Amino acid sequence: MTQDLELRHVIGNPEGYLGMPSGRVQHDVTRLATDDLATPLATGLQKVFNTGERASYSNVHLRLREEKQVVELRMLPLPAHKGQAPLAAVVIRPQYQQPSSGDEAVVYDLDQETQQRIADLEAELQFTRENLQATVEELETANEELQASNEELQASNEELQSTNEELQSVNEELHTVNAEYQSKISELYELNNDLDNLLSANGIASLFLDSQLRIRRYTPALTEVCHITDADIGSHLAEVCRRLGPQDLPELAHQVQRERQPAEREVQPGRGRWYLLTMHPYQVGSEYTSSVVMSLVDVTHLKDTQLALEASQLHFRRLFDEAPHIILLLDPQGWIREGNRTARERLGCGIEDLQALDLRELIPGPPAETDGHQVLETLLQGTPISDGHIRLRTPDGTEIPTEASGVPEMVEGRVTGARIVLRDMRERAQTGDG
């Protein structure tokens, strides 16, 4: 049996010594043993397990089948293995004679053993009471701690409830903000679509660059200019330069980033078409970023017109310079702005000297007495002349009689200048003489 007096194994017939009481099945040997054996068994087993020594009792009286019988109890500890609970063996055998004086069995005295058992039980009861008191105190301490923990948990619960209310309020605010964001996203989506359609409809080829001059967006019209695709997004501007022609566009973009001022350039990527390339700093509100926006506008028609105008200007310049008569362009005060080659040759003046002259200085005589002054004043007052006569005196003193015709230049009824043609009358005289 074990230290808890649990019966584990029985050898032989226990009838008369052990019985099975009614009720729940128990294995406590003191409950299974007869009343006469219960006390000596409990006393002896307690001694065996406490001291580890054998215990023997003789002259133990019990009633067996209405007959009195004397038995001898021997209780000895069994060898215990590691990790195994201690066990003890109990041997019960009838006693037919008095034990010899050398026998180690103790004569069992019921009163003495009872007193001993009572003392042991009282000691065990006292020990149990002390343990119970300590346990009660520990339970009270634990109860106080649990009470304090409960109060803390209640306070935490109140805080959590307050936090939950705050979170609920924040959640409602987030729902409101989310609704506003959804509205803003919808507006931005529509605005982005409008911007895409605007950029596609105006036909302007535009390229958006980041602060590192890498492509981040372009308009469809740019594809026709330099065959750019979505695969080029993230590429450097230098990659696009190879298709546009000029290789110094990165330097121009750096200049725009640095000076925050737009720059423009005419480029001809190929196929005979001309484009006006402009670069602007990317502006967000009133602040400038390091990004750059590049646009290409087809100016082929304007370029052709410009070339035609330049050719026409060259043609009329040649006619102006090669005319056989003196032609002068005057400002509103009569100062010479420009003269043709014949005027420079006849008057003996260079271009700069001629432009520094007042035509009145070349007309001899007082203004009030000379017809030439009156003709000039008539022209400068806004009246055209066709057959006026003006005599000129060159800086070297040569006098040239001329026949004058001229037209004033008018803007909103105000004279801004005049054009005058002076035909040298000496040539006509020589022709008449001839």
Side-chain angles (χ1 to χ4, degrees):
M1 58 193 63
T2 65
Q3 189 174 4
D4 296 330
L5 304 181
E6 181 183 355
L7 182 63
R8 289 291 185 89
H9 192 75
V10 177
I11 300 175
N13 185 10
E15 184 180 0
Y17 307 112
L18 302 176
M20 182 65 66
S22 62
R24 188 172 61 88
V25 177
Q26 299 183 7
H27 299 282
D28 189 341
V29 69
T30 60
R31 300 293 180 90
L32 297 175
T34 62
D35 295 339
D36 296 331
L37 282 177
T39 300
L41 273 176
T43 304
L45 288 175
Q46 184 178 13
K47 180 179 180 181
V48 170
F49 286 117
N50 289 339
T51 63
E53 298 177 355
R54 298 182 180 188
S56 299
Y57 296 114
S58 63
N59 199 27
V60 178
H61 295 268
L62 54 86
R63 183 175 296 276
L64 181 62
R65 300 185 188 93
E66 301 300 330
E67 295 181 0
K68 293 184 178 180
Q69 185 178 357
V70 180
V71 297
E72 182 182 0
L73 296 178
R74 290 183 179 271
M75 293 156 282
L76 63 157
L78 297 178
H81 298 284
K82 185 176 182 181
Q84 182 181 5
L87 300 173
V90 177
V91 179
I92 305 174
R93 64 181 180 179
Q95 183 178 335
Y96 299 105
Q97 60 183 3
Q98 294 294 329
S100 62
S101 59
D103 198 338
E104 60 180 3
V106 178
V107 177
Y108 182 72
D109 186 350
L110 180 60
D111 293 336
Q112 182 180 356
E113 294 300 331
T114 302
Q115 293 296 328
Q116 181 65 35
R117 180 61 178 167
I118 292 173
D120 294 339
L121 290 176
E122 288 179 350
E124 184 177 353
L125 179 60
Q126 182 64 27
F127 178 74
T128 303
R129 286 178 177 176
E130 293 176 356
N131 288 339
L132 180 60
Q133 182 65 27
T135 303
V136 169
E137 293 177 356
E138 292 177 358
L139 288 175
E140 289 177 352
T141 303
N143 188 34
E144 293 177 357
E145 294 177 354
L146 289 175
Q147 184 68 22
S149 300
N150 186 36
E151 293 176 356
E152 293 178 358
L153 289 175
Q154 288 179 352
S156 300
N157 187 33
E158 293 176 356
E159 294 178 358
L160 288 175
Q161 289 179 351
S162 176
T163 303
N164 186 36
E165 294 175 356
E166 294 177 357
L167 289 176
Q168 184 68 23
S169 176
V170 171
N171 189 34
E172 294 176 357
E173 294 178 359
L174 287 177
H175 279 298
T176 304
V177 173
N178 185 47
E180 294 177 357
Y181 281 159
Q182 291 294 334
S183 176
K184 295 294 183 183
I185 289 173
S186 178
E187 293 177 3
L188 288 175
Y189 182 75
E190 294 179 359
L191 181 61
N192 189 50
N193 287 336
D194 294 342
L195 180 60
D196 288 339
N197 283 276
L198 175 62
L199 293 176
S200 300
N202 61 20
I204 298 177
S206 299
L207 186 66
F208 297 85
L209 307 172
D210 61 13
S211 59
Q212 303 298 323
L213 301 185
R214 298 187 181 277
I215 300 172
R216 63 183 184 87
R217 190 173 184 177
Y218 65 93
T219 59
L222 189 64
T223 304
E224 301 178 0
V225 179
C226 59
H227 306 289
I228 192 172
T229 63
D230 290 342
D232 295 315
I233 294 179
S235 302
H236 196 270
L237 177 61
E239 298 293 331
V240 182
C241 294
R242 301 174 184 174
R243 308 171 198 174
L244 290 176
Q247 300 299 315
D248 61 343
L249 292 185
E251 289 77 7
L252 187 63
H254 284 304
Q255 176 185 339
V256 173
Q257 286 179 326
R258 183 174 57 256
E259 298 179 359
R260 306 294 189 197
Q261 295 295 329
E264 63 182 29
R265 173 85 55 82
E266 288 185 353
V267 296
Q268 189 178 21
R271 298 179 297 174
R273 305 201 67 82
W274 285 90
Y275 293 89
L276 177 63
L277 184 148
T278 59
M279 287 190 180
H280 293 266
Y282 194 92
Q283 187 173 1
V284 179
S286 60
E287 299 294 331
Y288 287 99
T289 67
S290 298
S291 302
V292 176
V293 180
M294 186 179 76
S295 300
L296 290 166
V297 180
D298 191 343
V299 293
T300 304
H301 179 70
L302 294 178
K303 191 68 175 179
D304 294 341
T305 304
Q306 179 184 358
L307 294 176
L309 180 61
E310 290 177 355
S312 177
Q313 288 179 343
L314 180 60
H315 174 70
F316 284 107
R317 168 58 65 180
R318 289 175 179 174
L319 292 177
F320 179 71
D321 283 338
E322 294 175 1
H325 306 301
I326 298 173
I327 301 176
L328 300 175
L329 302 181
L330 307 177
D331 66 8
Q333 286 74 35
W335 289 82
I336 300 174
R337 292 185 304 184
E338 191 175 356
N340 64 348
R341 185 171 56 191
T342 302
R344 295 193 299 270
E345 292 175 353
R346 298 290 174 89
L347 299 178
C349 300
I351 296 177
E352 296 181 357
D353 295 334
L354 185 64
Q355 293 177 350
L357 289 176
D358 184 349
L359 184 56
R360 298 181 183 87
E361 297 177 359
L362 299 179
I363 302 175
E369 301 177 2
T370 307
D371 293 341
H373 286 287
Q374 296 177 359
V375 172
L376 178 60
E377 293 300 328
T378 300
L379 178 63
L380 294 178
Q381 288 175 3
T383 302
I385 58 174
S386 59
D387 55 355
H389 294 276
I390 298 178
R391 179 177 295 274
L392 300 178
R393 178 182 294 170
T394 64
D396 61 0
T398 303
E399 292 191 2
I400 304 175
T402 65
E403 185 179 35
S405 61
V407 178
E409 296 178 358
M410 307 288 291
V411 175
E412 297 180 354
R414 182 173 57 88
V415 177
T416 59
R419 297 186 299 274
I420 186 170
V421 178
L422 301 173
R423 292 177 291 277
D424 193 341
M425 300 299 295
R426 294 177 303 175
E427 297 178 355
R428 180 178 299 183
Q430 292 175 1
T431 303
D433 293 341

